Amino acid sequence: MAFERKKIGEILVELGAIAPAQVTLILEAMPISGKRFGETGISEGLYSADDLAQGLAVQFGLPYCDLNDVSLDTDLLEQLPSGLPLRHLLVPLRRDEEGLVAAVADPSDIATLDDLEMQLGTPLLLQVGAPGKIKLLLEKGEGSKQVLQEVSEDFKLQLVKETDKGEEVLSIEKLTDDSSPIIRLIDSTLFDALNKRASDIHIETNLDGVVIKYRVDGVLFRATEPLDNRFQSPIISRIKVMSELDISERRIPQDGRFKVRRGNKSIDFRVSIMPSVFGEDAVIRILDKESIAADLKGLTLDVLGISERERVRFRRKIREPYGMVLVTGPTGSGKTTTLYAALTEIHNEEEKIITIEDPVEYQLKGVVQIPVNEKKGLTFAKGLRSILRHDPDKIMVGEIRDPETAQIAVQSALTGHLVFTTVHANNVFDVLGRFLHMGIDPYNFVSCLNCVAAQRLVRKLCVHCRKPVEYDENVLEESGFIGPDYQDVVFYEGEGCRECHGTGYMGRSAIIELLELDDEIRELIVTKASVSHLKEVAARAGTMFLRESAMEKVVAGISSLPEINRVTFAG
C-alpha cells in the first residue's frame, strides 16, 4: 500500500497556524488565485511563509531550518554552479559524509531535486526554509562573492571629475604610468573602508607617526599600524589633489569633495583638512548613497529600531495636518534618517513635500529635494522662503542654525504647513532653550510645536559572537539595573568575530525620547517652569527618557551595558 501524505491544511491546523474553518476559505480562494494551497493561504494573509515552511517540513518528514540563525558558507556556495542556488531556491548549509545538507523552499518538487542530485554528483540531505529568507541569504552571498572577485582582480578605483559636460573619468593610468605607493595606499584605504561599512576615515599625525582610523557604527578604531611621519605630507597632498584643493596652503582649514567610481557605482567623499601641531590632519566622510538606499529599501520607522511604544506616538504626530516636528541630537545620531523615514511613511501623491538640506544625503522618491549652496547664496533661510512660494504641504528643513531660519520655520508651521526639522541639542528640554535664545517668541513657538524627539544610536551586538556575561552588583546599581524588574535579565557582550571585524557589534539601533506637547506642557514652557517640573509632567504624560529607552535595548539582549553607558548617562 502506497504511503499517503497528510494534507498541508490538516498539518497547519495541528500546528495552530490556522483554524479548521480557514481551510475551507483557502480551498474556495484557490481557483481565483490560481496558486497552490500553501501560497494561497499566504496571499490571503492567514499565516506566514515561515508557518508554511514548518508545515511542509512535517508533511515531508524533513527538519525545518530557521534561516535567521544561519550565516552563509561562501566557500560552499562557490563550489556550486553560478546562478543555480537562486534559480532553485536552495541554500547549501554544510557537507557531511552522507552528502550536501541544504535548505530548500519546495520539497514537493521531487523531479527537480533528483535532477539537482545528478547535476551536483552528490546526495542532497534536505531541510525546509522560507523562500523569502533563502533568497535574501543567497543575494547577500552573491554580493560578498562579487567583492572577493573585485579584490582578486587587482581592483582599481576610478577618480571622477565633474565637468560642465558631465563626468570625466580620471583613471589612475591617466595620472601616472606607474602607480606610486601613496596612490595605492589611499586607494586601498578607501576600498577597505567601504568594505568595513565605515562612515568616516580619519588620518591623524602624532609623535608615533601617521595613523589611519575608521569610524564604524559611530566608534573609531585603528585601521593600520602607525606609518612613518615622512608619509604625512604626500598622503595629505594626494587627498588635496583628488579634492582639487590648494596644495601650497598648509596653515588654514580647507574643505573639498571628490567622487570615485567603483564598478558601475559612484560614491561621494567629503574632505576636511585641518592644520595641527604635527602638520595637517584629514577627515574623509563617505557618502555612499546607493548602499544607504539599498540598506533602507522600504525605509520606515520600523527598520530604525525605535521601540513599538514610541513608534506609535511618533507616527501620530507626523500625520498631523500642520505644526512642527523637531528631532534633536548630536552629529551622527541619525536625526536625518529618522526624518527621511517619517517623510517616506507619510508621502502620497496628493501632497507636495519639499526639503532643503546640506547636503542631500540620498534621494527620496516623489519628494522635491533642494541642496543648500552657500557659495552661490542659497542658504537655509533663502531656500525656505522660496519653498513657501512653491506651494508645499509638508516641508523638511535639514537643520536650523540661525534665528532667521528658525523664525521662518515657526511662521510656516503657524500658517498651516507641517514642518520637519533638526536642531543640535542634548535632550528635548535643551531644544526649548535653544529656540528661545534665538529670539523666537515663546508663545508662537510652543503653539506650533507638535513634538520634540531626542535621539541617539546604540550599537547592536553581533548575533554571531554575543555571549552572556555577569556583572558585579555595584556595577548594576550604578547603571540603574536594580529592583524586581531587572531580577532575571540576562546581560550579553560581543566577543568579536570575523563577521563584525572583531568589534563585537554590528549595525546600530535608534533610541528615542519623545515629548508630546499638550496644553499643560505648553503653559509650563511659556511660564518658564523649572526643567525638573517639566520632566515630572512629561513622564506622567508618557515620555520615556533616553536612558530608559537604552535600558530596554539591554533587557531585550540587543545591546550591551558598556555600550549604553557610552551613549547615555546613568541615573
Side-chain angles (χ1 to χ4, degrees), residues 85-114:
L86 257 175
R87 198 162 54 249
H88 297 292
L89 288 184
L90 171 143
V91 171
L93 299 171
R94 61 182 180 279
R95 278 194 191 278
D96 60 21
E97 311 85 65
E98 295 173 50
L100 179 67
V101 182
V104 292
D106 185 5
S108 66
D109 193 354
I110 309 291
T112 302
L113 294 169
D114 285 347

Side-chain angles (χ1 to χ4, degrees), residues 236-249 253-257 271-273 375:
I236 298 296
S237 294
R238 168 65 187 153
I239 293 168
K240 284 183 178 178
V241 166
M242 291 170 81
S243 317
E244 298 182 344
L245 296 174
D246 183 356
I247 297 179
S248 60
E249 182 53 76
Q254 294 187 64
D255 290 322
R257 57 195 308 138
V271 177
S272 175
I273 309 277
K375 281 181 189 163

